[in-house]
Each structure stands twice: as structure tokens, then as C-alpha cells.
Amino acid sequence: MPKQTYNNLIRDKKERIFNAGLLEFSYHDKNDASVNNIVRIANISKGSFYQYFDDKDEFYWYIVMEIIFGRVGTYEKILRKNDGDFFKTEETLFDSMINLFDDTKYFKIDFLQTVQGDELLEIEHILENAFDMTREVKLPSVDLTEESIDIDCQHSLTHAEINVQTSN
């Protein structure tokens, strides 16, 4: 379980670390997951990570237990709300499990060429600004036609590529 230093963190930072771990463990099994990726995503130092958790395994099991106990608590609340009706509770719980990650959106960017040094910093800056919801962005009008949009699903249920060609 996490050390007291983790428990003392503000909620936002704890959520950022938790979500970074959840993301990393979603893409990699426990053995292949990388603490380097977790700290990069969470925007913390590697030393800080080890002030919060003994090792990657402890962090992994912390995430697993938080999800399980979170679901158990949810189950008990839903069961009470449904006056002990197990079938209705199971249906509601199933719906809530489908929506488990609705509040956390992740995306992946694949580069067509290798990104190095300053380019990576510039891309990180662009992405940080892109998600700043306090900024007002005025975009120029873009001319699109149906022919200029190409969607390639590569016969996959989990991956789609959208290419858009604009004339301006």
C-alpha cells in the first residue's frame, strides 16, 4: 500500500499519479510496464514515485485494490438504492462498469517519422496548450469535401485512422 507521503498529497496529484499508472498498466502487463512512463505521464520525478511506493508491484496492486474496493462500495450503495433487488443492482453495476473510464480520456499519437530533441519539447508544448480549456481558440474556416476525408479502420475494432486533406 502507498506510503504516508502519497496519502498526504493533494487529490489532484494523487489522481494524476493513479491515472498514469492505470494508463500504463492498461497498455502493458505488470512486468512490462515502465516506471519511467508512469512518472513521465504523471509529471513527477522518479525519486518522488519511490517516496510514494516501494516499487512498481506495490503500485500495481494498489491500483487493483482501489478499483476492486471502489466497485464493492458502489455495489453496496446501488443495492441499498434498489431496495435489495440483486437483478436491478447487477444491471446498474454492469452499466457503471461499462462507463468506468468515461471520465478519463486517453489518446495515442503515432509519428510518421522519428521525433527528436527540441521537436519533442515543441510537440509537448502544443499538446499542453491544446488541452487548456481556459483558452479561446479561433480557427480559420476550413474547406472540406466528402472526397477529402479518408477513414481506414484496418479491419480492426480498436484502431481507426482518419486522414483529412484540406485545400487551405
Side-chain angles (χ1 to χ4, degrees), residues 13 23 59 64 69-70 73-74 79-80 96 145:
K13 190 167 186 177
L23 177 63
F59 184 48
V64 169
F69 285 123
T74 300
L79 186 61
R80 270 186 254 120
S96 75
T145 64

Side-chain angles (χ1 to χ4, degrees), residues 39-68:
V39 300
R40 182 180 49 76
I41 294 166
N43 197 25
I44 62 170
S45 71
K46 199 169 187 177
S48 292
F49 177 86
Y50 288 108
Q51 286 181 354
Y52 307 143
F53 300 93
D54 286 332
D55 54 30
K56 179 177 62 173
D57 282 355
E58 180 184 63
F59 184 48
Y60 174 83
W61 287 111
Y62 167 70
I63 290 173
V64 169
M65 297 309 288
E66 283 294 304
I67 291 171
I68 290 171

Side-chain angles (χ1 to χ4, degrees), residues 26-37:
S26 297
Y27 281 99
H28 306 284
D29 66 33
K30 183 175 63 137
N31 295 324
D32 293 334
S34 163
V35 171
N36 290 333
N37 287 341

